[in-house]
Amino acid sequence: MSEILEITLRTIHISATATLLATLWSIPIGSLIALKNFPTKQLIKSIFNALMGMPTVALGLILYLLLSSSGPLGSVNILFTPLAIIIGQALLITPILISLTTNALETIDPEIKDLARTLGASETETSLTILAEAKAGVVLALIASFTRAFAELGVALSVGANLRGGTRILTTAIAMEVQRGQIQHSLTLTAILLTIVFATTITTNLIQTRRRT
Amino acid sequence: MRKTNLLWITALIVVVVGSVAGTALYIKAFSKERLMISTTTSLFDTGLLDLIETQFESEYPIDLNFISVGTGLAITHAQRGDADLILVHSPTQETHFLVQGYGLCRKIIAYNYFAIIGPNEDPAKINGLTDTSQALSKIVEAGRNQQASWMSRGDDSGTHTKEKQLWAEADYNWTQIRNEDWYQETGTGMGGTLKTANQFQAYTLTDMGTYLAYYKEGIINLKPHVTQAEQLLNVYSAIVTNKTLHHNVNFDGAITFIKYLVSAEGQQIIADYGKSEYGQSLFHPAVTLLKENTDPTTAQWIKDYAYFDGNECPPQYWNDHPELYQ
């Protein structure tokens, strides 16, 4: 039982950290794409949209080859550690965060931007105003990213390797128990995974709707 | 509105603090001496290595980490310097691995037998045969008459390599029969292949450990038809990654672990594993058998199958550890 708890906490931690890390660059990039006009805007949006469908096993393989001892980043020595999974998941969800953020900001009435400017807001302040207006969409982007990271298998297996007490997370443990023929264990872990996914989504919804009441 | 913002900010602080604290914990945890072992799924999936890990870690300050993959990927991990030690069961691939200079200090640790399993009704009539070549030719015959089919791992694993050898011994050209209708490849691990074979009620080659686990759980109902033949011998070895190729290899840790595996204690764990759960041992210890020739027939089978240059590891690969072979 304590092993299941350990795996669950590790999974939450890894995916939450990955989401946080990806937020650091994805929200600014997403805002830039949404609020600025530049010639390659549509092309860049298309690229990030396409990358949302990146197969996790493909990204996992690329990262394994990069982080492997014989790979270009081998000297960093983080292959088969939770750090490798965090970075992998952060990269995996970056296109989702960027695309959904861009989308959320673009739906905000452009007049708000003009209004903020007229009231003397700087460029950054204007962006923050629009971000605040688009909060619901940005939160959705964060939740979608977190759950995608939380439920992915390919990256965690390739760069984490499902090490007991080290990099074993819910999805890799489910895959392992299925492989071992322990269907009952797999179902228990699956139930935990789904419960957390639902709990996250429902809690966020509750907090969001409070605002309207 | 204000209350909502407060909730968000609290959530954010919790996430940030939790993330940073957890990450710091990982960095600390991984500064401990780590031994990475890439292993064939058939050893790992039975749970044997979990037991060995618990015992070993209670006696040595080394953190064992098992990566469960097929023999093919295990060898790739070692070649790239991502594993310190491999546990595999494919003598031809192992020989190649040593000769190419990637591995050192090979040690045979255990053996068991593969089995040819298939539907209970046994449409190819192979039950009880002791010659795999004869059994396979009957399966081919039944397959060509559309009465039976064969499911192959098709993934370059140790089991798949064994299967190809068996076809060759039975005088079939594997590259040719794999294109016939009755022959199918799953490209997945042993578990996936067993489930697919069960779905189509096909014959397949399996290791006994995975088979028993699946059979006991009621996931499959296929029955073993050919077992314990010399041609079905399955020999497991440990090989250390060559430290001169990859400087980060934990060579001393790997030697310590091999010595534990071949010690009386390690061999006893292997001998006992599975008895209480399946009523039979899943693996048989090989060290005493080979050293003292306690069972000359089996010892000779192992030597014929898994030795090369008349040795489990020719002296040029001993790397100053002759004590492993005395």
Side-chain angles (χ1 to χ4, degrees):
Chain A
M1 191 60 210
S2 67
E3 193 169 353
I4 293 185
L5 183 67
E6 179 199 313
I7 291 171
T8 308
L9 289 177
R10 184 184 298 122
T11 314
I12 296 174
H13 175 260
I14 286 177
S15 300
T17 309
T19 311
L20 202 65
L21 194 63
T23 308
L24 292 181
W25 56 74
S26 301
I27 302 270
I29 294 175
S31 311
L32 274 179
I33 296 175
L35 304 175
K36 296 268 180 206
N37 281 315
F38 49 96
T40 51
K41 182 166 168 160
Q42 292 309 319
L43 177 71
I44 290 186
K45 273 168 71 177
S46 307
I47 291 174
F48 281 122
N49 280 338
L51 285 175
M52 286 205 287
M54 180 71 162
T56 57
V57 65
L59 181 62
L61 173 66
I62 295 166
L63 287 172
Y64 165 70
L65 293 174
L66 284 174
L67 296 175
S68 160
S69 285
S70 311
L73 300 176
S75 54
V76 188
N77 210 7
I78 59 165
L79 186 68
F80 305 146
T81 70
L83 298 180
I85 309 181
I86 291 173
I87 292 168
Q89 290 187 346
L91 292 174
L92 176 75
I93 60 178
T94 292
I96 302 176
L97 256 179
I98 291 180
S99 291
L100 294 184
T101 306
T102 307
N103 196 43
L105 296 184
E106 280 181 338
T107 52
I108 299 298
D109 192 342
E111 280 184 21
I112 291 181
K113 192 172 162 184
D114 297 335
L115 185 66
R117 285 236 183 84
T118 338
L119 293 174
S122 69
E123 196 68 20
T124 320
E125 282 167 341
T126 312
S127 302
L128 287 175
T129 312
I130 294 177
L131 262 176
E133 279 301 313
K135 199 164 76 183
V138 175
V139 169
L140 179 70
L142 287 170
I143 294 300
S145 304
F146 172 75
T147 46
R148 161 85 159 154
F150 195 74
E152 74 82 28
L153 171 68
V155 171
L157 210 50
S158 306
V159 299
N162 188 40
L163 305 176
R164 183 167 80 155
T167 57
R168 184 164 301 169
I169 61 171
L170 285 169
T171 50
T172 60
I174 292 170
M176 177 190 75
E177 297 293 0
V178 170
Q179 176 76 22
R180 286 181 165 186
Q182 304 287 335
I183 301 299
Q184 204 56 50
H185 292 176
S186 322
L187 285 176
T188 310
L189 294 164
T190 306
I192 296 174
L193 188 139
L194 289 177
T195 308
I196 294 171
V197 168
F198 278 109
T200 317
T201 320
I202 292 169
T203 314
T204 327
N205 264 338
L206 281 178
I207 303 182
Q208 287 218 346
T209 46
R210 275 178 70 110
R211 167 165 73 163
R212 288 180 207 118
T213 53
Chain B
M1 183 77 190
R2 207 176 245 175
K3 227 175 182 177
T4 312
N5 277 340
L6 202 68
L7 269 173
W8 283 125
I9 290 166
T10 316
L12 188 70
I13 291 171
V14 169
V15 172
V16 171
V17 171
S19 293
V20 173
T23 310
L25 211 69
Y26 295 146
I27 294 171
K28 204 175 151 209
F30 282 100
S31 54
K32 192 176 159 192
E33 182 179 352
R34 214 156 80 117
L35 187 66
M36 299 296 307
I37 302 164
S38 225
T39 167
T40 164
T41 48
S42 50
L43 278 176
F44 183 81
D45 287 344
T46 55
L48 168 68
L49 296 178
D50 288 340
L51 184 64
I52 289 179
E53 179 181 355
T54 312
Q55 290 294 324
F56 179 82
E57 287 180 351
S58 68
E59 292 172 44
Y60 297 88
I62 299 175
D63 179 24
L64 296 187
N65 290 279
F66 294 104
I67 315 174
S68 171
V69 289
T71 296
L73 187 53
I75 286 177
T76 304
H77 276 153
Q79 283 174 342
R80 300 183 59 92
D82 298 326
D84 304 312
L85 179 81
I86 56 174
L87 299 175
V88 287
H89 63 144
S90 184
T92 39
Q93 279 166 287
E94 291 164 36
T95 308
H96 203 56
F97 183 72
L98 288 184
V99 170
Q100 284 180 318
Y102 291 116
L104 295 166
C105 301
R106 174 180 188 251
K107 194 74 195 158
I108 291 176
I109 53 170
Y111 72 96
N112 62 11
Y113 292 91
F114 287 105
I116 298 177
I117 62 167
N120 200 16
E121 305 78 48
D122 193 21
K125 305 267 173 296
I126 61 163
N127 191 277
L129 292 179
T130 49
D131 179 12
T132 57
S133 297
Q134 199 187 349
L136 289 181
S137 65
K138 285 188 150 208
I139 292 172
V140 173
E141 197 184 322
R144 287 177 178 160
N145 290 329
Q146 279 150 29
Q147 287 162 339
S149 58
W150 177 269
M151 203 58 70
S152 168
R153 287 274 292 268
D155 60 357
D156 283 329
S157 58
T159 309
H160 186 219
T161 307
K162 182 76 180 187
E163 186 207 318
K164 288 192 277 188
Q165 271 171 19
L166 294 178
W167 288 116
E169 281 169 24
D171 272 336
Y172 286 100
N173 183 347
W174 176 74
T175 48
Q176 200 181 318
I177 56 169
R178 69 185 294 207
N179 293 320
E180 295 185 22
D181 286 343
W182 53 271
Y183 189 102
Q184 283 170 341
E185 297 175 43
T186 65
T188 58
M190 196 69 250
T193 305
L194 284 175
K195 279 187 278 190
T196 317
N198 195 64
Q199 179 65 31
F200 294 104
Q201 290 290 297
Y203 289 93
T204 190
L205 181 74
T206 179
D207 68 275
M208 277 314 275
T210 316
Y211 169 76
L212 285 172
Y214 272 60
Y215 187 79
K216 188 172 164 260
E217 288 284 317
I219 302 168
I220 57 170
N221 58 22
L222 301 172
K223 295 273 156 58
H225 291 302
V226 183
T227 55
Q228 303 264 327
E230 178 184 356
Q231 296 141 301
L232 292 174
L233 188 68
N234 184 18
V235 176
Y236 292 93
S237 311
I239 308 177
V240 188
T241 304
N242 191 342
K243 61 179 171 184
T244 53
L245 284 181
H246 300 285
H247 297 289
N248 58 335
V249 165
N250 183 354
F251 195 84
D252 296 335
I255 294 290
T256 307
F257 183 61
I258 288 193
K259 283 183 178 165
Y260 180 78
L261 285 176
V262 302
S263 71
E265 185 185 339
Q267 292 281 295
Q268 193 61 44
I269 296 177
I270 293 173
D272 292 338
Y273 193 72
K275 274 183 184 164
S276 56
E277 206 172 349
Y278 304 107
Q280 65 183 89
S281 300
L282 298 184
F283 304 96
H284 310 296
V287 175
T288 314
L289 174 76
L290 290 171
K291 202 195 278 180
E292 291 165 18
N293 210 18
T294 43
D295 173 358
T297 314
T298 311
Q300 194 55 48
W301 285 1
I302 294 176
K303 285 174 185 169
D304 289 345
Y305 174 57
Y307 273 30
F308 78 104
D309 295 348
N311 207 315
E312 63 181 320
C313 182
Q316 66 266 35
Y317 305 109
W318 287 0
N319 199 269
D320 300 333
H321 285 286
E323 75 278 11
L324 281 170
Y325 305 97
Q326 278 157 9

